[in-house]
Amino acid sequence: MPGIVVVGLQWGDEGKGKVSAYLARGASLAVRFNGGANAGHTVTLPDRTLSLHMLPAAAISTKSAAIGHGVYLDIEEMLRDIAKLEEAVGKVGVVVSPRAHLVTPLQVGLDAKIEEMRGGGSIGTTRRGIGPTALHKYGRLGLRLCDVLDGADVGDLVKVWMRLWGGVIPFNPEEVLAKVRGLAEQVRGMVGDVSSLIRTHLASGGTVIFEGAQGTMLDIDHGTYPYVTSSHTTSAAAAIGSGVGLKSINIVVGVAKAYTTRVGAGPFPTEISGPVADVIRERGSEYGATTGRPRRIGWLDMPQLRYACMLNDTDQIFLTRVDTLSGLERVKLCVKYEGVGEPYPETVEALRSVKPVYLEMEGWPRIDEAERERLRLEGYGALHRAARRYLEKVEEELGTAVKYIGIGPGIMDVIVK
Ligand code: IMP
């Protein structure tokens, strides 16, 4: 009866959607517990590619999804996801926590405005209203789904919003409230107690997949603040954001790419530019699933991953995109930052000045469709020796097992070691 958490170990976009859908085969429930419509979980099915923003991608396998109160709820995006998902896989049961905080047009407008005010120091947010929704939630000025549905008098709250923000962005309180009320009515039938639902599944022997959004380095506390998102992205957030205790989580699967990417501003110690970065970006279609922005590219970073493995109590690593990194003559692995030990540097300034020390390794031949087919049948031993050497070096450096290896975009393009 395991609870399995899937978390990103880097700056998001590690391939958690595909990993969750893979691990959820045979599971009974998929849970989202953090983030909001800033996430873009892409899964490649035989006949289409789905990019989900609010629903967990693991629901492709479970057909049953829950959205915990830790998620910043964008109802319109969720309804779009449900339509997309049901067209692809048929009926999906969705339960949404009444305690989830709503993202309204006010928070979306403020996100853009605050970014504009920051000028050159902007975070590069996805402009999905995440920061301002968090600002309202933790300032105890948030609007929850249950408050709207229960007909609570939210007039006073909106008056405070008006006083705070009326002069900052155009804001029509009546319009916003009418829109939110209309949307909330559309999901009334989905509202339910997510915490009990998870417990019921676990108690009856089901497997529950807790699908994290974003990555460890974007965590509001542990990430590269202020270039982070406004929620918790580490494994412990699965408990807090869905309403279960830590004992409901049995296995932590950390997902990392075979290289590193980052979208948006902020420090990135192993970032590279030039032809190799361009090849990886084009081959891996490294463009944001939510915003379409080109992703920044870098080598795999052991100090960063050691930090992330520790914060998440990672049991197993799922290393994705070993195929994207194939076909290069040489690859590099950052094994340390010159003169920097533990703890991981806390400030942006410190991270911007670190000098990565690289181990240069032999690359491995291109993994194309034919090679993928062969590897799926023959397994780990059939992987080119240079790729195995790279993976084993990562394992050795991190002291954590690389149990799964992603060799393509499809859910079953996986080697289990
Ligand atoms: P926000 O979450 O939209 O406020 O954006 C804050 C930072 O997190 C920006 O650098 C975004 O690019 C980044 N970010 C948010 N969600 C994701 C994601 O799902 N993948 C990668 N980066 C993300």
Side-chain angles (χ1 to χ4, degrees):
M1 38 163 262
I4 302 175
V5 183
V6 176
V7 283
L9 296 178
Q10 297 162 314
W11 277 276
D13 308 317
E14 297 92 350
K16 294 177 295 295
K18 166 214 160 102
V19 167
S20 302
Y22 171 80
L23 294 173
R25 293 160 310 132
S28 59
L29 179 67
V31 183
R32 265 286 300 267
F33 57 84
N34 70 340
N38 50 351
H41 288 188
T42 303
V43 186
T44 305
L45 300 175
D47 63 333
R48 68 188 83 201
T49 295
L50 278 181
S51 191
L52 300 172
H53 299 285
M54 292 298 304
L55 287 189
I60 287 168
S61 306
T62 59
K63 310 275 178 75
S64 178
I67 299 202
H69 62 269
V71 172
Y72 299 123
L73 186 63
D74 184 323
I75 299 177
E76 277 176 302
E77 285 288 353
M78 185 180 77
L79 292 170
R80 270 196 282 274
D81 272 7
I82 294 173
K84 261 194 272 183
L85 191 56
E86 292 198 332
E87 201 195 315
V89 302
K91 185 80 191 139
V92 175
V94 179
V95 175
V96 186
S97 169
R99 290 191 171 86
H101 280 251
L102 299 176
V103 181
T104 83
L106 170 76
Q107 283 80 22
V108 174
L110 281 173
D111 197 350
K113 187 68 188 174
I114 294 168
E115 282 285 87
E116 184 194 311
M117 285 173 168
R118 281 178 176 269
S122 69
I123 307 289
T125 74
T126 60
R127 308 204 170 203
R128 298 304 176 106
I130 302 300
T133 306
L135 188 72
H136 285 90
K137 172 174 173 172
Y138 289 100
R140 289 152 299 170
L141 291 168
L143 189 60
R144 299 175 307 165
L145 181 57
C146 55
D147 301 327
V148 179
L149 285 176
D150 291 352
D153 183 10
V154 291
D156 284 349
L157 175 68
V158 174
K159 270 188 213 142
V160 179
W161 285 8
M162 190 64 200
R163 276 194 223 116
L164 278 169
W165 311 119
V168 177
I169 55 166
F171 169 47
N172 182 327
E174 284 78 30
E175 244 175 52
V176 167
L177 265 185
K179 179 167 183 184
V180 167
R181 286 200 168 109
L183 286 168
E185 279 311 323
Q186 290 186 55
V187 298
R188 188 183 278 280
M190 299 177 203
V191 174
D193 183 350
V194 169
S195 172
S196 315
L197 180 70
I198 296 171
R199 278 165 215 284
T200 306
H201 275 264
L202 290 176
S204 60
T207 295
V208 176
I209 303 286
F210 297 87
E211 182 175 325
Q214 289 84 46
T216 300
M217 301 310 286
L218 290 172
D219 184 278
I220 185 79
D221 283 323
H222 303 294
T224 48
Y225 192 90
Y227 298 97
V228 292
T229 190
S230 292
S231 59
H232 290 288
T233 58
T234 52
S235 55
I240 298 188
S242 65
V244 297
L246 294 176
K247 289 180 198 153
S248 294
I249 291 159
N250 309 94
I251 303 171
V252 178
V253 179
V255 189
K257 275 179 188 166
Y259 47 96
T260 313
T261 61
R262 175 165 201 168
V263 61
F268 183 175
T270 60
E271 182 168 18
I272 52 170
S273 55
V276 174
D278 295 342
V279 166
I280 295 174
R281 184 178 301 107
E282 291 316 312
R283 228 183 242 168
S285 306
E286 290 290 4
Y287 294 88
T290 301
T291 58
R293 291 177 290 179
R295 293 180 183 143
R296 298 157 67 192
I297 310 284
W299 297 117
L300 201 60
D301 183 339
M302 295 299 106
Q304 181 272 302
L305 283 177
R306 267 194 289 274
Y307 174 60
C309 281
M310 175 193 75
L311 289 171
N312 290 293
D313 276 342
T314 307
D315 293 303
Q316 305 162 350
I317 294 175
F318 195 131
L319 203 75
T320 60
R321 295 200 175 246
V322 170
D323 58 320
T324 306
L325 200 62
S326 68
L328 297 176
E329 220 167 283
R330 312 287 295 167
V331 291
K332 289 186 188 178
L333 200 61
C334 166
V335 287
K336 60 178 180 179
Y337 301 155
E338 201 177 289
V340 179
E342 298 207 334
Y344 194 75
E346 291 95 6
T347 65
V348 166
E349 289 69 25
L351 272 171
R352 283 202 169 126
S353 63
V354 296
K355 289 196 177 57
V357 176
Y358 289 108
L359 175 70
E360 210 176 295
M361 299 180 77
E362 183 192 346
W364 48 94
R366 204 60 217 282
I367 298 177
D368 57 13
E369 197 41 54
E371 178 64 358
R372 227 171 249 143
E373 183 66 35
R374 191 181 76 87
L375 290 172
R376 273 194 300 256
L377 291 172
E378 297 178 23
Y380 186 72
L383 201 56
H384 189 270
R385 63 179 159 69
R388 278 186 281 137
R389 202 170 296 141
Y390 182 78
L391 298 170
E392 283 153 22
K393 183 67 189 160
V394 171
E395 251 180 357
E396 178 194 318
E397 285 285 329
L398 301 179
T400 309
V402 176
K403 177 157 183 199
Y404 305 96
I405 297 138
I407 51 164
I411 294 176
M412 297 309 295
D413 291 334
V414 177
I415 301 176
V416 182
K417 181 156 169 272

